[in-house]
mmCIF file of all heavy atoms in Angstrom:
data_model
loop_
_atom_site.group_PDB
_atom_site.id
_atom_site.type_symbol
_atom_site.label_atom_id
_atom_site.label_comp_id
_atom_site.label_asym_id
_atom_site.label_seq_id
_atom_site.Cartn_x
_atom_site.Cartn_y
_atom_site.Cartn_z
ATOM 1 N N LEU A 9 93.652 98.152 73.119
ATOM 2 C CA LEU A 9 95.033 98.614 73.221
ATOM 3 C C LEU A 9 95.949 97.719 72.395
ATOM 4 O O LEU A 9 95.743 96.512 72.316
ATOM 5 C CB LEU A 9 95.511 98.584 74.680
ATOM 6 C CG LEU A 9 94.918 99.611 75.630
ATOM 7 C CD1 LEU A 9 95.483 99.385 77.030
ATOM 8 C CD2 LEU A 9 95.219 101.036 75.181
ATOM 9 N N ARG A 10 96.971 98.326 71.837
ATOM 10 C CA ARG A 10 98.007 97.590 71.134
ATOM 11 C C ARG A 10 99.318 97.798 71.887
ATOM 12 O O ARG A 10 99.577 98.873 72.415
ATOM 13 C CB ARG A 10 98.147 98.087 69.698
ATOM 14 C CG ARG A 10 96.880 97.898 68.880
ATOM 15 C CD ARG A 10 96.966 98.629 67.557
ATOM 16 N NE ARG A 10 97.958 98.039 66.665
ATOM 17 C CZ ARG A 10 97.686 97.057 65.800
ATOM 18 N NH1 ARG A 10 96.464 96.558 65.735
ATOM 19 N NH2 ARG A 10 98.615 96.584 65.001
ATOM 20 N N GLY A 11 100.142 96.771 71.904
ATOM 21 C CA GLY A 11 101.388 96.847 72.643
ATOM 22 C C GLY A 11 102.534 97.447 71.868
ATOM 23 O O GLY A 11 103.686 97.090 72.098
ATOM 24 N N GLY A 46 93.036 93.643 74.207
ATOM 25 C CA GLY A 46 94.390 93.964 73.774
ATOM 26 C C GLY A 46 94.762 93.089 72.596
ATOM 27 O O GLY A 46 94.242 91.993 72.421
ATOM 28 N N GLN A 47 95.675 93.589 71.771
ATOM 29 C CA GLN A 47 96.046 92.840 70.579
ATOM 30 C C GLN A 47 97.457 93.210 70.155
ATOM 31 O O GLN A 47 98.052 94.153 70.671
ATOM 32 C CB GLN A 47 95.075 93.145 69.443
ATOM 33 C CG GLN A 47 95.001 94.619 69.080
ATOM 34 C CD GLN A 47 94.022 94.880 67.963
ATOM 35 O OE1 GLN A 47 93.901 94.101 67.035
ATOM 36 N NE2 GLN A 47 93.305 95.993 68.053
ATOM 37 N N ASN A 48 97.995 92.416 69.195
ATOM 38 C CA ASN A 48 99.191 92.755 68.440
ATOM 39 C C ASN A 48 100.495 92.222 69.016
ATOM 40 O O ASN A 48 100.742 92.285 70.206
ATOM 41 C CB ASN A 48 99.311 94.277 68.262
ATOM 42 C CG ASN A 48 100.241 94.647 67.120
ATOM 43 O OD1 ASN A 48 100.371 93.911 66.162
ATOM 44 N ND2 ASN A 48 100.880 95.779 67.230
ATOM 45 N N ASN A 49 101.288 91.663 68.223
ATOM 46 C CA ASN A 49 102.740 91.539 68.130
ATOM 47 C C ASN A 49 103.513 91.132 69.391
ATOM 48 O O ASN A 49 104.712 91.340 69.464
ATOM 49 C CB ASN A 49 103.353 92.825 67.558
ATOM 50 C CG ASN A 49 103.273 94.061 68.440
ATOM 51 O OD1 ASN A 49 103.035 93.959 69.631
ATOM 52 N ND2 ASN A 49 103.470 95.215 67.852
ATOM 53 N N GLU A 50 102.864 90.605 70.395
ATOM 54 C CA GLU A 50 103.542 90.097 71.580
ATOM 55 C C GLU A 50 104.366 91.165 72.295
ATOM 56 O O GLU A 50 105.340 90.862 72.995
ATOM 57 C CB GLU A 50 104.412 88.877 71.235
ATOM 58 C CG GLU A 50 103.614 87.717 70.685
ATOM 59 C CD GLU A 50 104.411 86.421 70.595
ATOM 60 O OE1 GLU A 50 105.630 86.464 70.834
ATOM 61 O OE2 GLU A 50 103.804 85.377 70.302
ATOM 62 N N ARG A 51 103.993 92.409 72.163
ATOM 63 C CA ARG A 51 104.608 93.474 72.948
ATOM 64 C C ARG A 51 103.892 93.589 74.291
ATOM 65 O O ARG A 51 102.815 93.047 74.501
ATOM 66 C CB ARG A 51 104.518 94.797 72.194
ATOM 67 C CG ARG A 51 105.288 94.817 70.884
ATOM 68 C CD ARG A 51 106.777 94.921 71.119
ATOM 69 N NE ARG A 51 107.509 95.080 69.873
ATOM 70 C CZ ARG A 51 108.808 95.326 69.798
ATOM 71 N NH1 ARG A 51 109.524 95.424 70.894
ATOM 72 N NH2 ARG A 51 109.390 95.463 68.624
ATOM 73 N N GLU A 52 104.497 94.358 75.192
ATOM 74 C CA GLU A 52 103.933 94.474 76.535
ATOM 75 C C GLU A 52 102.844 95.533 76.616
ATOM 76 O O GLU A 52 102.956 96.607 76.022
ATOM 77 C CB GLU A 52 105.023 94.827 77.547
ATOM 78 C CG GLU A 52 105.971 93.698 77.857
ATOM 79 C CD GLU A 52 106.897 94.030 79.015
ATOM 80 O OE1 GLU A 52 106.726 95.104 79.645
ATOM 81 O OE2 GLU A 52 107.801 93.223 79.301
ATOM 82 N N ILE A 53 101.789 95.192 77.364
ATOM 83 C CA ILE A 53 100.803 96.167 77.820
ATOM 84 C C ILE A 53 100.850 96.135 79.344
ATOM 85 O O ILE A 53 100.573 95.104 79.958
ATOM 86 C CB ILE A 53 99.393 95.855 77.315
ATOM 87 C CG1 ILE A 53 99.354 95.895 75.786
ATOM 88 C CG2 ILE A 53 98.388 96.842 77.895
ATOM 89 C CD1 ILE A 53 98.012 95.530 75.187
ATOM 90 N N GLY A 77 89.442 90.963 77.231
ATOM 91 C CA GLY A 77 89.972 89.836 76.475
ATOM 92 C C GLY A 77 91.176 90.212 75.640
ATOM 93 O O GLY A 77 91.638 91.347 75.636
ATOM 94 N N SER A 78 91.697 89.218 74.934
ATOM 95 C CA SER A 78 92.826 89.391 74.018
ATOM 96 C C SER A 78 92.453 88.841 72.655
ATOM 97 O O SER A 78 91.702 87.874 72.551
ATOM 98 C CB SER A 78 94.057 88.639 74.534
ATOM 99 O OG SER A 78 94.615 89.256 75.659
ATOM 100 N N HIS A 79 93.001 89.457 71.608
ATOM 101 C CA HIS A 79 92.855 88.931 70.259
ATOM 102 C C HIS A 79 94.033 88.021 69.925
ATOM 103 O O HIS A 79 94.927 87.797 70.739
ATOM 104 C CB HIS A 79 92.796 90.084 69.253
ATOM 105 C CG HIS A 79 91.539 90.871 69.337
ATOM 106 N ND1 HIS A 79 90.299 90.348 69.035
ATOM 107 C CD2 HIS A 79 91.311 92.163 69.697
ATOM 108 C CE1 HIS A 79 89.372 91.279 69.193
ATOM 109 N NE2 HIS A 79 89.960 92.386 69.595
ATOM 110 N N SER A 80 94.063 87.510 68.700
ATOM 111 C CA SER A 80 95.185 86.690 68.264
ATOM 112 C C SER A 80 96.463 87.529 68.262
ATOM 113 O O SER A 80 96.421 88.763 68.296
ATOM 114 C CB SER A 80 94.913 86.129 66.876
ATOM 115 O OG SER A 80 94.696 87.186 65.962
ATOM 116 N N ASN A 81 97.611 86.846 68.198
ATOM 117 C CA ASN A 81 98.905 87.512 68.394
ATOM 118 C C ASN A 81 98.899 88.247 69.732
ATOM 119 O O ASN A 81 99.091 89.454 69.824
ATOM 120 C CB ASN A 81 99.224 88.490 67.261
ATOM 121 C CG ASN A 81 99.343 87.788 65.928
ATOM 122 O OD1 ASN A 81 99.845 86.675 65.845
ATOM 123 N ND2 ASN A 81 98.851 88.432 64.888
ATOM 124 N N HIS A 82 98.657 87.486 70.756
ATOM 125 C CA HIS A 82 98.370 88.057 72.067
ATOM 126 C C HIS A 82 99.527 88.849 72.630
ATOM 127 O O HIS A 82 100.681 88.431 72.573
ATOM 128 C CB HIS A 82 98.005 86.942 73.043
ATOM 129 C CG HIS A 82 96.786 86.193 72.633
ATOM 130 N ND1 HIS A 82 96.626 84.856 72.863
ATOM 131 C CD2 HIS A 82 95.666 86.595 71.985
ATOM 132 C CE1 HIS A 82 95.454 84.456 72.380
ATOM 133 N NE2 HIS A 82 94.864 85.491 71.848
ATOM 134 N N PRO A 83 99.251 90.005 73.215
ATOM 135 C CA PRO A 83 100.298 90.796 73.853
ATOM 136 C C PRO A 83 100.772 90.145 75.148
ATOM 137 O O PRO A 83 100.168 89.200 75.651
ATOM 138 C CB PRO A 83 99.596 92.128 74.146
ATOM 139 C CG PRO A 83 98.161 91.739 74.326
ATOM 140 C CD PRO A 83 97.922 90.622 73.352
ATOM 141 N N ILE A 84 101.855 90.672 75.677
ATOM 142 C CA ILE A 84 102.329 90.285 77.002
ATOM 143 C C ILE A 84 101.691 91.240 77.993
ATOM 144 O O ILE A 84 102.004 92.433 78.023
ATOM 145 C CB ILE A 84 103.865 90.383 77.089
ATOM 146 C CG1 ILE A 84 104.527 89.489 76.048
ATOM 147 C CG2 ILE A 84 104.344 90.027 78.495
ATOM 148 C CD1 ILE A 84 106.014 89.736 75.896
ATOM 149 N N TRP A 85 100.783 90.728 78.790
ATOM 150 C CA TRP A 85 100.145 91.562 79.810
ATOM 151 C C TRP A 85 101.010 91.574 81.072
ATOM 152 O O TRP A 85 101.445 90.531 81.545
ATOM 153 C CB TRP A 85 98.766 91.022 80.166
ATOM 154 C CG TRP A 85 97.747 91.118 79.080
ATOM 155 C CD1 TRP A 85 97.379 90.121 78.216
ATOM 156 C CD2 TRP A 85 96.954 92.252 78.736
ATOM 157 N NE1 TRP A 85 96.409 90.570 77.353
ATOM 158 C CE2 TRP A 85 96.125 91.875 77.651
ATOM 159 C CE3 TRP A 85 96.858 93.548 79.236
ATOM 160 C CZ2 TRP A 85 95.216 92.746 77.068
ATOM 161 C CZ3 TRP A 85 95.956 94.430 78.653
ATOM 162 C CH2 TRP A 85 95.147 94.024 77.584
ATOM 163 N N LEU A 112 93.361 86.645 79.263
ATOM 164 C CA LEU A 112 94.657 87.237 78.966
ATOM 165 C C LEU A 112 95.376 86.534 77.820
ATOM 166 O O LEU A 112 96.546 86.805 77.567
ATOM 167 C CB LEU A 112 95.541 87.229 80.219
ATOM 168 C CG LEU A 112 95.082 88.151 81.346
ATOM 169 C CD1 LEU A 112 95.993 88.015 82.558
ATOM 170 C CD2 LEU A 112 95.032 89.611 80.878
ATOM 171 N N GLY A 113 94.696 85.635 77.135
ATOM 172 C CA GLY A 113 95.282 84.993 75.972
ATOM 173 C C GLY A 113 96.219 83.855 76.321
ATOM 174 O O GLY A 113 96.027 83.149 77.314
ATOM 175 N N ASP A 114 97.262 83.676 75.495
ATOM 176 C CA ASP A 114 98.113 82.495 75.656
ATOM 177 C C ASP A 114 99.598 82.819 75.707
ATOM 178 O O ASP A 114 100.443 81.939 75.546
ATOM 179 C CB ASP A 114 97.847 81.489 74.528
ATOM 180 C CG ASP A 114 98.119 82.071 73.146
ATOM 181 O OD1 ASP A 114 98.650 83.197 73.053
ATOM 182 O OD2 ASP A 114 97.801 81.389 72.154
ATOM 183 N N ASN A 115 99.957 84.092 75.914
ATOM 184 C CA ASN A 115 101.370 84.443 75.959
ATOM 185 C C ASN A 115 101.960 84.036 77.306
ATOM 186 O O ASN A 115 101.540 84.515 78.358
ATOM 187 C CB ASN A 115 101.557 85.948 75.733
ATOM 188 C CG ASN A 115 102.995 86.287 75.383
ATOM 189 O OD1 ASN A 115 103.912 85.898 76.089
ATOM 190 N ND2 ASN A 115 103.180 87.006 74.282
ATOM 191 N N THR A 118 103.144 86.584 80.151
ATOM 192 C CA THR A 118 102.207 87.398 80.927
ATOM 193 C C THR A 118 102.466 87.203 82.427
ATOM 194 O O THR A 118 102.748 86.100 82.893
ATOM 195 C CB THR A 118 100.768 87.018 80.565
ATOM 196 O OG1 THR A 118 100.464 87.577 79.284
ATOM 197 C CG2 THR A 118 99.762 87.530 81.579
ATOM 198 N N HIS A 148 93.726 82.663 81.877
ATOM 199 C CA HIS A 148 94.810 82.613 80.906
ATOM 200 C C HIS A 148 94.878 81.199 80.362
ATOM 201 O O HIS A 148 94.635 80.232 81.090
ATOM 202 C CB HIS A 148 96.131 82.994 81.575
ATOM 203 C CG HIS A 148 97.291 83.155 80.632
ATOM 204 N ND1 HIS A 148 98.050 82.085 80.210
ATOM 205 C CD2 HIS A 148 97.815 84.253 80.038
ATOM 206 C CE1 HIS A 148 98.996 82.523 79.387
ATOM 207 N NE2 HIS A 148 98.892 83.830 79.266
#
Side-chain angles (χ1 to χ4, degrees):
L9 289 178
R10 298 169 68 89
Q47 58 181 322
N48 199 30
N49 68 17
E50 299 191 353
R51 296 285 186 173
E52 288 189 6
I53 298 177
S78 288
H79 290 295
S80 58
N81 298 323
H82 298 146
I84 301 169
W85 293 98
L112 292 177
D114 60 8
N115 196 308
T118 285
H148 188 276

